[in-house]
Amino acid sequence: MGCDTRSCATLWSTRPRCPDPTFQPTSRVRSLTPELAKGLEFDLVVLVDPEEFGAGIEGAVDRYVAMTRATQQLVVLTGS
């Protein structure tokens, strides 16, 4: 993912899978769970399978937190 000078984050569910183990974070590109991203902002956020963030209130809160981390662009990737 090319981000130029923007800060970027990929947000993924803690269940049931992990991000790519070969991913190497940089000062501008990070891979986080919604819990770890809480309170942070990024120019670009890529959500990976937000439906996997869980059900009920906890899942809704995780999706809300993840979707509100983007200041300029939000990309949502789903497997369906």
Side-chain angles (χ1 to χ4, degrees):
M1 171 187 335
C3 292
D4 304 320
T5 60
R6 301 184 299 168
S7 59
C8 304
T10 301
L11 301 182
W12 47 275
S13 170
T14 57
R15 11 176 189 350
R17 76 189 123 92
C18 305
D20 180 351
T22 63
F23 174 77
Q24 295 296 317
T26 69
S27 61
R28 294 188 331 227
V29 180
R30 298 172 70 182
S31 183
L32 306 163
T33 64
E35 182 179 37
L36 294 173
K38 196 171 189 176
L40 302 176
E41 291 184 335
F42 301 93
D43 297 326
L44 168 65
V45 170
V46 178
L47 298 186
V48 179
D49 289 329
E51 65 274 7
E52 298 292 326
F53 286 12
I57 297 296
E58 182 179 333
V61 168
D62 283 351
R63 280 186 291 280
Y64 174 81
V65 168
M67 295 176 88
T68 58
R69 301 305 89 206
T71 60
Q72 295 180 23
Q73 187 175 10
L74 173 65
V75 177
V76 180
L77 303 176
T78 63
S80 50

